[in-house]
Amino acid sequence: MHKLIAKLLHRSPPSHVERLAGRDCRRLIKRIDETRELVELLQAQAPDLLRTHPWVLLWLEDNDSFLVELAEAIGEPSLTTDSRHRSGIWLRPWPLQPLPARTTNPDHIESQTIGAK
């Protein structure tokens, strides 16, 4: 992921990326928080979907990681979760424990994340 961000910043001047991130990085922080909110919703309302399609969580976790790394790459201080960001957005923590790479066994995910309430 570091290589992808480096390529992005090499092709687009940081000022362009910062502009896309919004004032005080608000747009970028909002996308991070919304991804986490979506995971919470899926966990609460569609646990069967997550058990049968565990890669959905991997996609969302990868997006979260990418956006957090992008924020840091443009100079955003380390993001403190479950606190108010300087943009005014309350940044919730990632709602699940990080999933092991290449998780494909729904029972494995259920026992570690979805089933633990």
Side-chain angles (χ1 to χ4, degrees):
M1 194 140 346
H2 295 296
K3 289 180 183 178
L4 180 60
I5 291 173
K7 234 184 226 185
L8 173 68
L9 292 176
H10 177 71
R11 290 186 179 158
S12 297
S15 60
H16 178 69
V17 177
E18 289 168 356
R19 190 172 67 251
L20 289 173
R23 183 182 157 161
D24 293 332
C25 216
R26 183 176 174 78
R27 289 177 68 196
L28 188 53
I29 299 303
K30 186 68 176 159
R31 298 296 82 76
I32 293 168
D33 188 62
E34 286 173 347
T35 298
R36 295 172 182 187
E37 184 177 15
L38 177 58
V39 172
E40 288 177 354
L41 177 69
L42 290 170
Q43 182 181 12
Q45 301 295 320
D48 290 339
L49 173 77
L50 297 180
R51 275 191 288 279
T52 59
H53 299 81
W55 55 86
V56 171
L57 289 175
L58 294 174
W59 292 340
L60 293 168
E61 186 178 26
D62 281 348
N63 284 337
D64 183 82
S65 296
F66 175 79
L67 294 173
V68 168
E69 284 185 40
L70 182 60
E72 291 172 357
I74 60 172
E76 188 65 20
S78 183
L79 299 176
T80 304
T81 58
D82 206 19
S83 64
R84 189 165 306 282
H85 181 261
R86 67 187 172 93
S87 65
I89 296 171
W90 190 272
L91 184 61
R92 71 191 80 222
W94 179 255
L96 302 171
Q97 292 298 318
L99 298 171
R102 307 265 188 237
T103 298
T104 57
N105 181 347
D107 295 333
H108 179 71
I109 290 176
E110 179 182 19
S111 67
Q112 286 196 338
T113 59
I114 298 165
K117 290 190 179 190

